Amino acid sequence: AQTVTQSQPEMSVQEAETVTLSCTYDTSESDYYLFWYKQPPSRQMILVIRQEAYKQQNATENRFSVNFQKAAKSFSLKISDSQLGDAAMYFCAYRTPLSGNTPLVFGKGTRLSVIA
Amino acid sequence: DAGVIQSPRHEVTEMGQEVTLRCKPISGHNSLFWYRQTMMRGLELLIYFNNNVPIDDSGMPEDRFSAKMPNASFSTLKIQPSEPRDSAVYFCASSLGLAGDTQYFGPGTRLTVL
């Protein structure tokens, strides 16, 4: 079974600075998808960024980017120019590309605090 | 689009009572997922449907939990009888049904069983 590990329960960053959240996963498959979701205090789960394992290029969405290292099974999230609104729980998630649709496997999350 | 709709947003009940959580997926989405979030176990899958058919219910804790999807626009998750350890946030998510596509989450239902 696939597992996702987020080794940093909590992180903090100064406003306008850069922070990197770590995620590793375990799988025997060669093709899969990886996601970062944000959960603010409202508890709404919001997709931040996604990465297809077959793509070597790291995904980028505005201030958010990933460092995808397939051989190392590592998928870290970098937040640049951190803003107060970035404060939230961040979940790394894995998904296999089987035919039809498949569920997400989540890490335990990292709580990010942004200091003004 | 209204997004995934869940009701109620909050539910407080007493042990032994029946609880029904409801979900309306995004129109046109073929897959629906029920997840549960607790401090101890994090986010875990309970059950998911493709084209209204249950595919994997191995995450359902026990026979007290049941889920149905009578049509493409509605699903329920029922707990009968409820127990204090069922207290959690229950999320419904939907997606188009293509491999690897994005799952969109509802706002969740916070269930408290006293």
Side-chain angles (χ1 to χ4, degrees), chain B residues 44-63:
Chain B
E44 54 183 350
L45 177 76
L46 296 177
I47 185 172
Y48 77 100
F49 298 83
N50 281 343
N51 296 313
N52 311 338
V53 176
I55 302 301
D56 182 358
D57 65 353
S58 60
M60 296 286 261
E62 48 199 90
D63 292 345

Side-chain angles (χ1 to χ4, degrees), chain A:
Chain A
Q2 294 84 12
T3 59
V4 177
T5 302
Q6 294 180 249
S7 59
Q8 306 152 316
E10 296 184 353
M11 293 280 287
S12 63
V13 62
Q14 292 280 348
E15 196 175 6
E17 296 297 309
T18 295
V19 64
T20 299
L21 309 184
S22 301
C23 173
T24 58
Y25 56 94
D26 186 23
T27 183
S28 59
E29 299 176 351
S30 60
D31 199 12
Y32 45 86
Y33 297 83
L34 297 164
F35 304 82
W36 279 98
Y37 278 86
K38 170 185 177 182
Q39 186 179 41
S42 67
R43 79 167 178 254
Q44 178 72 50
M45 295 288 287
I46 303 165
L47 178 69
V48 175
I49 200 165
R50 59 174 279 159
Q51 174 82 41
E52 292 83 356
Y54 61 85
K55 291 185 178 179
Q56 293 188 338
Q57 186 173 6
N58 290 325
T60 299
E61 288 288 344
N62 300 315
R63 298 182 295 107
F64 299 87
S65 61
V66 298
N67 183 5
F68 173 49
Q69 301 290 329
K70 191 172 184 179
K73 296 180 182 176
S74 172
F75 183 60
S76 60
L77 174 69
K78 186 172 81 171
I79 306 174
S80 303
D81 186 24
S82 297
Q83 301 176 358
L84 295 177
D86 295 333
M89 283 289 289
Y90 286 82
F91 293 94
C92 179
Y94 168 100
R95 189 173 186 191
T96 54
L98 299 177
S99 60
N101 219 339
T102 55
L104 293 162
V105 177
F106 287 94
K108 294 293 188 185
T110 296
R111 183 176 301 280
L112 178 67
S113 302
V114 180
I115 303 167

Side-chain angles (χ1 to χ4, degrees), chain B residues 90-113:
Chain B
Y90 291 81
F91 286 101
C92 175
S94 72
S95 66
L96 284 170
L98 303 176
D101 65 351
T102 298
Q103 291 185 14
Y104 295 89
F105 284 73
T109 295
R110 179 176 292 280
L111 173 65
T112 302
V113 183

